[in-house]
Structures are given as structure tokens and as C-alpha cells.
Amino acid sequence: MIDFLRKVPLFSSLNNSQLTIISNICSKKSFKANTVLFHEKELGSVFYIVFSGSVKIYTAATSGEEKILSLFKTGDSFGELSLIDGKPRSASAQTLEDSVMIALSAPNFLDMLKSNFDISLCIMQELCNRLRDTNQHVHDLTFLDARSRVIKSLIKLANKNGIRSGSIVTIKMMLNYDEVSQMAGVQKPILMQVIRDFQERQILTFLGNEMKLDLAKLRG
């Protein structure tokens, strides 16, 4: 567990004794694909770290329409916000594939923060990063046109979830087209129009459940 926690960006600056504290209060849990880990507006009781698999964080309108806020993969953490402020979950979380989570219960998580400033500082830094991401997303929705938002979302997927070889980034397609359009904040027909254009220009190619993005041709 300590070897894994050392590779988690949230805890990468901690020493062995601090990682041991975290390891001692962790438990590992397996979930099937499409399992809802928690719902928006329910009280938070667990902080999660993705050990394997992937998770989407999303909100849902009363009409049932979803808006994907983030995707998390191995090493990413989520669910700490409502544990810290005591308010209901601000979004829902659902596995995209069979996944294993490292779970910390709310009492253990809060006790750890109270007694370990360095760990608390790491959590605060992560929350600041997410606030900056949210601010950037609001900026994009306000100032970028729909096509630019699609392109930026594809690049974000590539940076976060892709494997790069030269100018080619291979991305496992964890999301369907409806979900990608939700994440980009555009209507699905606009997303499909951009994808068809990219396919014609060989910027995007699809092989099974993988998508390949040619960054050199995208820049061109």
C-alpha cells in the first residue's frame, strides 16, 4: 500500500512515516463498471483514491441530463470536499469500468488531517488545483466557441488518460459520445461534426475501443 501511495500525486511529497499513517487507515474495495459510488446531495462518508480503473464525476439536471465535470484514473483522489466542510456531495461519482478504490472513512480522514499538517497541506493544494480547473472551465464556456471546446476537451483527455508515442496519443475510450459532448459543453451533433472533420484529416483514428490523436496534424 505504501508503494502505491507514494505514486499518488496527492501524497508524492510525504515521507515514509506519513505514508504509513495513511496506509494504516486505508481499505481496498472493488466495484463493477457503472457502479455509483455516491450521489450528488447526499452526505459524504468516504474519501476515495483510484487504485485501478476509472471514475467519472458528474452532476445531473432534473431532466436527467448529465454534465461530466472530471475523469479520474489510477492515482487520482476525490470525495474529500464534503468530508471537510460537512456539506452534501456537490456531484456524483460512477465507475466507468471494473475498478478498485482505496477508501478512507470520514472519521479517520478528518483525524488524520487534524494531526498531520503536511498531509493537510497536500489536500489544500489539490483543492486549489481543482478550483483553478473549475475557473478555467467557466472561462472556456464563456469565451470559446463550441468547436474550440471540443478540441480542448479531446486534448485534455489525451493529456490525462492517453499514452504518447511520438506525436500520436492513444486514448482508451472510457466515455461514449454523449458523455464527451457533456464534458465539452456542446451538443452531440457539433461533437460529431468535429470528429468527422478530424477523421477526414486523419487527426483522429479509431481502433476498437481506442482513439488515436495525431498532435502533429492537429497543430498543422
Side-chain angles (χ1 to χ4, degrees), residues 74-90:
T74 300
D76 290 332
S77 56
F78 60 96
E80 71 288 327
L81 197 59
S82 65
L83 272 62
I84 293 173
D85 65 13
K87 295 180 180 179
R89 300 284 193 188
S90 59

PDB file of all heavy atoms in Angstrom, residues 74-90:
ATOM      1  N   THR A  74      -6.071   5.881 -12.209  1.00  0.00           N
ATOM      2  CA  THR A  74      -5.172   5.395 -11.166  1.00  0.00           C
ATOM      3  C   THR A  74      -4.335   6.529 -10.557  1.00  0.00           C
ATOM      4  O   THR A  74      -3.686   7.292 -11.276  1.00  0.00           O
ATOM      5  CB  THR A  74      -4.237   4.316 -11.744  1.00  0.00           C
ATOM      6  OG1 THR A  74      -5.024   3.230 -12.227  1.00  0.00           O
ATOM      7  CG2 THR A  74      -3.285   3.802 -10.670  1.00  0.00           C
ATOM      8  N   GLY A  75      -4.391   6.625  -9.243  1.00  0.00           N
ATOM      9  CA  GLY A  75      -3.626   7.637  -8.523  1.00  0.00           C
ATOM     10  C   GLY A  75      -4.405   8.899  -8.213  1.00  0.00           C
ATOM     11  O   GLY A  75      -3.984   9.686  -7.359  1.00  0.00           O
ATOM     12  N   ASP A  76      -5.548   9.105  -8.874  1.00  0.00           N
ATOM     13  CA  ASP A  76      -6.354  10.301  -8.623  1.00  0.00           C
ATOM     14  C   ASP A  76      -7.219  10.096  -7.382  1.00  0.00           C
ATOM     15  O   ASP A  76      -7.633   8.982  -7.070  1.00  0.00           O
ATOM     16  CB  ASP A  76      -7.250  10.609  -9.822  1.00  0.00           C
ATOM     17  CG  ASP A  76      -6.465  11.091 -11.032  1.00  0.00           C
ATOM     18  OD1 ASP A  76      -5.387  11.673 -10.832  1.00  0.00           O
ATOM     19  OD2 ASP A  76      -6.923  10.868 -12.163  1.00  0.00           O
ATOM     20  N   SER A  77      -7.523  11.193  -6.708  1.00  0.00           N
ATOM     21  CA  SER A  77      -8.334  11.132  -5.485  1.00  0.00           C
ATOM     22  C   SER A  77      -9.537  12.048  -5.621  1.00  0.00           C
ATOM     23  O   SER A  77      -9.500  13.038  -6.347  1.00  0.00           O
ATOM     24  CB  SER A  77      -7.497  11.535  -4.270  1.00  0.00           C
ATOM     25  OG  SER A  77      -6.941  12.826  -4.468  1.00  0.00           O
ATOM     26  N   PHE A  78     -10.603  11.712  -4.902  1.00  0.00           N
ATOM     27  CA  PHE A  78     -11.824  12.519  -4.964  1.00  0.00           C
ATOM     28  C   PHE A  78     -12.706  12.211  -3.760  1.00  0.00           C
ATOM     29  O   PHE A  78     -12.521  11.204  -3.079  1.00  0.00           O
ATOM     30  CB  PHE A  78     -12.595  12.235  -6.263  1.00  0.00           C
ATOM     31  CG  PHE A  78     -13.038  10.799  -6.424  1.00  0.00           C
ATOM     32  CD1 PHE A  78     -14.316  10.413  -6.056  1.00  0.00           C
ATOM     33  CD2 PHE A  78     -12.175   9.839  -6.930  1.00  0.00           C
ATOM     34  CE1 PHE A  78     -14.733   9.097  -6.182  1.00  0.00           C
ATOM     35  CE2 PHE A  78     -12.579   8.508  -7.069  1.00  0.00           C
ATOM     36  CZ  PHE A  78     -13.857   8.147  -6.692  1.00  0.00           C
ATOM     37  N   GLY A  79     -13.666  13.117  -3.521  1.00  0.00           N
ATOM     38  CA  GLY A  79     -14.647  12.888  -2.464  1.00  0.00           C
ATOM     39  C   GLY A  79     -14.311  13.527  -1.136  1.00  0.00           C
ATOM     40  O   GLY A  79     -15.026  13.326  -0.147  1.00  0.00           O
ATOM     41  N   GLU A  80     -13.226  14.324  -1.116  1.00  0.00           N
ATOM     42  CA  GLU A  80     -12.805  14.899   0.165  1.00  0.00           C
ATOM     43  C   GLU A  80     -13.583  16.148   0.539  1.00  0.00           C
ATOM     44  O   GLU A  80     -13.665  16.503   1.722  1.00  0.00           O
ATOM     45  CB  GLU A  80     -11.295  15.214   0.148  1.00  0.00           C
ATOM     46  CG  GLU A  80     -10.884  16.390  -0.722  1.00  0.00           C
ATOM     47  CD  GLU A  80     -10.977  16.116  -2.205  1.00  0.00           C
ATOM     48  OE1 GLU A  80     -10.743  14.974  -2.629  1.00  0.00           O
ATOM     49  OE2 GLU A  80     -11.312  17.055  -2.946  1.00  0.00           O
ATOM     50  N   LEU A  81     -14.177  16.818  -0.443  1.00  0.00           N
ATOM     51  CA  LEU A  81     -14.760  18.133  -0.193  1.00  0.00           C
ATOM     52  C   LEU A  81     -15.862  18.091   0.869  1.00  0.00           C
ATOM     53  O   LEU A  81     -15.845  18.861   1.835  1.00  0.00           O
ATOM     54  CB  LEU A  81     -15.308  18.715  -1.500  1.00  0.00           C
ATOM     55  CG  LEU A  81     -15.576  20.218  -1.523  1.00  0.00           C
ATOM     56  CD1 LEU A  81     -14.302  20.991  -1.232  1.00  0.00           C
ATOM     57  CD2 LEU A  81     -16.150  20.643  -2.867  1.00  0.00           C
ATOM     58  N   SER A  82     -16.818  17.196   0.703  1.00  0.00           N
ATOM     59  CA  SER A  82     -17.939  17.159   1.654  1.00  0.00           C
ATOM     60  C   SER A  82     -17.516  16.612   3.013  1.00  0.00           C
ATOM     61  O   SER A  82     -18.181  16.869   4.016  1.00  0.00           O
ATOM     62  CB  SER A  82     -19.097  16.331   1.083  1.00  0.00           C
ATOM     63  OG  SER A  82     -18.735  14.979   0.943  1.00  0.00           O
ATOM     64  N   LEU A  83     -16.396  15.874   3.060  1.00  0.00           N
ATOM     65  CA  LEU A  83     -15.887  15.413   4.349  1.00  0.00           C
ATOM     66  C   LEU A  83     -15.296  16.582   5.128  1.00  0.00           C
ATOM     67  O   LEU A  83     -15.414  16.652   6.354  1.00  0.00           O
ATOM     68  CB  LEU A  83     -14.825  14.334   4.150  1.00  0.00           C
ATOM     69  CG  LEU A  83     -15.312  12.882   4.045  1.00  0.00           C
ATOM     70  CD1 LEU A  83     -16.211  12.683   2.837  1.00  0.00           C
ATOM     71  CD2 LEU A  83     -14.110  11.927   3.970  1.00  0.00           C
ATOM     72  N   ILE A  84     -14.688  17.530   4.395  1.00  0.00           N
ATOM     73  CA  ILE A  84     -14.028  18.661   5.044  1.00  0.00           C
ATOM     74  C   ILE A  84     -15.033  19.709   5.507  1.00  0.00           C
ATOM     75  O   ILE A  84     -14.957  20.198   6.649  1.00  0.00           O
ATOM     76  CB  ILE A  84     -12.994  19.294   4.090  1.00  0.00           C
ATOM     77  CG1 ILE A  84     -11.843  18.314   3.847  1.00  0.00           C
ATOM     78  CG2 ILE A  84     -12.453  20.606   4.656  1.00  0.00           C
ATOM     79  CD1 ILE A  84     -10.859  18.771   2.795  1.00  0.00           C
ATOM     80  N   ASP A  85     -15.996  20.066   4.619  1.00  0.00           N
ATOM     81  CA  ASP A  85     -16.922  21.146   5.004  1.00  0.00           C
ATOM     82  C   ASP A  85     -18.232  20.643   5.613  1.00  0.00           C
ATOM     83  O   ASP A  85     -19.044  21.434   6.093  1.00  0.00           O
ATOM     84  CB  ASP A  85     -17.204  22.073   3.825  1.00  0.00           C
ATOM     85  CG  ASP A  85     -17.940  21.404   2.669  1.00  0.00           C
ATOM     86  OD1 ASP A  85     -18.471  20.286   2.854  1.00  0.00           O
ATOM     87  OD2 ASP A  85     -18.000  22.012   1.587  1.00  0.00           O
ATOM     88  N   GLY A  86     -18.449  19.320   5.612  1.00  0.00           N
ATOM     89  CA  GLY A  86     -19.638  18.755   6.241  1.00  0.00           C
ATOM     90  C   GLY A  86     -20.919  18.940   5.448  1.00  0.00           C
ATOM     91  O   GLY A  86     -22.004  18.585   5.919  1.00  0.00           O
ATOM     92  N   LYS A  87     -20.808  19.476   4.237  1.00  0.00           N
ATOM     93  CA  LYS A  87     -21.984  19.707   3.405  1.00  0.00           C
ATOM     94  C   LYS A  87     -22.201  18.524   2.451  1.00  0.00           C
ATOM     95  O   LYS A  87     -21.298  17.704   2.266  1.00  0.00           O
ATOM     96  CB  LYS A  87     -21.821  21.011   2.615  1.00  0.00           C
ATOM     97  CG  LYS A  87     -21.764  22.238   3.506  1.00  0.00           C
ATOM     98  CD  LYS A  87     -21.599  23.512   2.694  1.00  0.00           C
ATOM     99  CE  LYS A  87     -21.547  24.734   3.587  1.00  0.00           C
ATOM    100  NZ  LYS A  87     -21.368  25.991   2.815  1.00  0.00           N
ATOM    101  N   PRO A  88     -23.390  18.405   1.852  1.00  0.00           N
ATOM    102  CA  PRO A  88     -23.665  17.280   0.940  1.00  0.00           C
ATOM    103  C   PRO A  88     -22.724  17.269  -0.254  1.00  0.00           C
ATOM    104  O   PRO A  88     -22.102  18.289  -0.597  1.00  0.00           O
ATOM    105  CB  PRO A  88     -25.116  17.527   0.509  1.00  0.00           C
ATOM    106  CG  PRO A  88     -25.703  18.358   1.600  1.00  0.00           C
ATOM    107  CD  PRO A  88     -24.590  19.236   2.079  1.00  0.00           C
ATOM    108  N   ARG A  89     -22.638  16.119  -0.897  1.00  0.00           N
ATOM    109  CA  ARG A  89     -21.807  15.964  -2.087  1.00  0.00           C
ATOM    110  C   ARG A  89     -22.219  16.974  -3.151  1.00  0.00           C
ATOM    111  O   ARG A  89     -23.409  17.175  -3.404  1.00  0.00           O
ATOM    112  CB  ARG A  89     -21.955  14.559  -2.670  1.00  0.00           C
ATOM    113  CG  ARG A  89     -21.558  13.413  -1.741  1.00  0.00           C
ATOM    114  CD  ARG A  89     -20.056  13.279  -1.630  1.00  0.00           C
ATOM    115  NE  ARG A  89     -19.683  12.012  -0.995  1.00  0.00           N
ATOM    116  CZ  ARG A  89     -18.444  11.698  -0.643  1.00  0.00           C
ATOM    117  NH1 ARG A  89     -17.458  12.554  -0.868  1.00  0.00           N
ATOM    118  NH2 ARG A  89     -18.170  10.529  -0.082  1.00  0.00           N
ATOM    119  N   SER A  90     -21.232  17.603  -3.784  1.00  0.00           N
ATOM    120  CA  SER A  90     -21.520  18.590  -4.830  1.00  0.00           C
ATOM    121  C   SER A  90     -21.693  17.938  -6.192  1.00  0.00           C
ATOM    122  O   SER A  90     -22.100  18.598  -7.152  1.00  0.00           O
ATOM    123  CB  SER A  90     -20.387  19.620  -4.893  1.00  0.00           C
ATOM    124  OG  SER A  90     -19.146  18.988  -5.160  1.00  0.00           O
TER     125      SER A  90
END
